[in-house]
Structures are given as C-alpha cells and as structure tokens.
Amino acid sequence: QVQLVQSGAEVKQPGASVKVSCKASGYTFTTYTIHWVRQAPGQRLEWMGWINADNGNTKYSQKFQGRVTFTRDTSASTAYMELSSLRSEDTAVYYCARASCSSTTCYAGFDYWGQGTLVTVSS
Amino acid sequence: QSALTQPASVSGSPGQSITISCTGTSSDVGSYNLVSWYQQHPGKAPKLMIYEVNKRPSGVSNRFSGSKSGNTASLTISGLQAEDEADYHCCSYAGSRTWVFGGGTKLTVL
C-alpha cells in the first residue's frame, strides 16, 4: 500500500534551518509529484509548493520563494523540504502529499499524505 | 494568492445533511474543475474525500458529494454520522501550477 513516512519532530532556534524528509513506498516514486503543505497550530492548510520526483523540477509558493528548497533522492524514494531563516511563525506541522492523478489530469488534488512533522521554532 | 473562503463552523444532527461552501475567485475555483476536499480529524493528516469537484476516491462513502457553481464549490454530507465530525478543507488549482486551500470548516455533529 502507498505510504509516505516523514521524519520526526524538530525544535529549532530562530534563524536556523530545518530539513524534513518524506520516504515513499508502495508505488514507483518517480511517477508522481510530491507537494508540501504546512499547518500552523489551529490554522488552515497552506500550500508550499511541489517537486517533480522524476526530473527534480520544482515550484514554490511566492510566500516561501527564496527560503524553501525541495530536493529528492530517487535511489531512496525520498523527498526533502528545507526551510531556512526560521522564525516563530514557521512553527507548524509540515506535510508531504502525493499528487492525485485521475484519467485526465494530475492536478486533481492530493491522495496520500505523510503523517506530518512538527517543527517548533523557539529560542 | 488569497485563501479560499469557508465558514468557520457548521453543525448538524445525526441523519441530517449539511453543506460546506468554499468561495474563491475567477482565477481559481471559477476557472478550473479542480476543486478537492479533505477531511481532517484532530491530530491526523488530511484525507482526500472529493477530487475534480465531484469525484470520490475509492473507499469514500457516497454520503459525501461535491458540486460547483461559478466561483463557489460545495461539499455536502448526507446522513450525518458521529464519525463525520472533523475539520474539512477545500483546495483549488489556481493556475501556473499553484494551489490554494480554504480556511477550513469545523463540522460538529450534535
């Protein structure tokens, strides 16, 4: 069965960087795009961007442009999200999610999600 | 890119039907039939319930249905059950390979 398993919780100081991993199993990793979504405590889901697991192309939300980097390791079926210059407002649960592909499009939504990684930014 | 607008909360009694709205703009909801809905229980990851406005993934109850009119999409849950109590989030493709989520709606089953 399809699974996305993320790395564990992190506590970081303001100004530091964090790197979260997302290991995929149960399907061919390079066939689907991986999206990253975050959710601050009690807040809405916020789309951060995506990485094409096949060719490594990326797209970032304007809000995070310049501060976030998505990478992937196809040999390990793992995607990574690195967020730099952390501030308290970045405290959130970060999710990876697989793009949902229907018969007509791969823009249909997100069908499988990781369990989430809590990143706490605090001095 | 502004968030889609959802009511903060809705409620209903077991067996009733409820509808959650999701209002966007002509640049997102109004332009694409690519609205999806997610159910999220406390402390859990979101679960895809509806994609492409009105399609249900395998395994999702047919009590869940979606629709769209203009810039507003809707999720309807019929035959409300206690286990439906959760947060519901809408999401729309917004062009240029970007997506936008709604503010989320808390459903309470009375």
Side-chain angles (χ1 to χ4, degrees):
Chain A
Q1 74 282 22
V2 174
Q3 277 193 303
L4 299 175
V5 178
Q6 298 182 223
S7 48
E10 303 260 14
V11 179
K12 295 292 182 180
Q13 293 201 329
S17 297
V18 68
K19 191 170 185 177
V20 177
S21 66
C22 169
K23 182 171 177 58
S25 61
Y27 73 98
T28 301
F29 177 68
T30 52
T31 304
Y32 293 85
T33 293
I34 293 289
H35 292 252
W36 290 90
V37 177
R38 79 175 187 180
Q39 186 174 36
Q43 301 300 310
R44 70 180 187 95
L45 297 172
E46 186 171 28
W47 179 80
M48 298 180 69
W50 54 258
I51 180 166
N52 181 313
D54 184 27
N55 58 25
N57 287 348
T58 56
K59 176 80 172 185
Y60 303 120
S61 165
Q62 277 191 329
K63 177 173 180 175
F64 301 101
Q65 190 84 37
R67 243 187 3 121
V68 71
T69 304
F70 302 148
T71 56
R72 94 281 187 231
D73 179 349
T74 57
S75 66
S77 298
T78 301
Y80 301 92
M81 185 282 299
E82 184 168 20
L83 187 62
S84 62
S85 301
L86 289 169
R87 37 215 190 220
S88 59
E89 309 90 88
D90 294 318
T91 294
V93 175
Y94 290 77
Y95 293 101
C96 60
R98 193 184 80 165
S100 173
C101 293
S102 69
S103 58
T104 54
T105 178
C106 282
Y107 290 4
F110 317 111
D111 57 2
Y112 289 92
W113 294 65
Q115 82 276 20
T117 296
L118 175 62
V119 175
T120 302
V121 183
S122 174
S123 54
Chain B
Q1 197 177 56
S2 299
L4 307 176
T5 300
Q6 298 180 233
S9 63
V10 298
S11 62
S13 299
Q16 288 186 331
S17 293
I18 62 94
T19 296
I20 300 171
S21 61
C22 170
T23 301
T25 70
S26 57
S27 297
D28 38 61
V29 175
S31 284
Y32 309 97
N33 289 324
L34 293 170
V35 176
S36 50
W37 289 89
Y38 303 85
Q39 177 190 66
Q40 186 181 31
H41 288 108
K44 300 295 187 181
K47 175 186 176 184
L48 179 65
M49 305 301 285
I50 295 287
Y51 66 97
E52 290 183 57
V53 175
N54 56 15
K55 297 178 183 177
R56 278 187 312 275
S58 174
V60 172
S61 171
N62 59 10
R63 297 186 298 106
F64 291 83
S65 62
S67 62
K68 191 187 89 166
S69 177
N71 296 339
T72 297
S74 298
L75 172 72
T76 297
I77 309 174
S78 59
L80 212 53
Q81 299 179 359
E83 69 218 44
D84 299 331
E85 184 162 295
D87 292 331
Y88 290 85
H89 307 271
C90 64
C91 179
S92 176
Y93 179 67
S96 301
R97 296 173 294 172
T98 67
W99 279 258
V100 61
F101 280 94
T105 298
K106 181 178 179 58
L107 169 61
T108 300
V109 180
L110 302 170

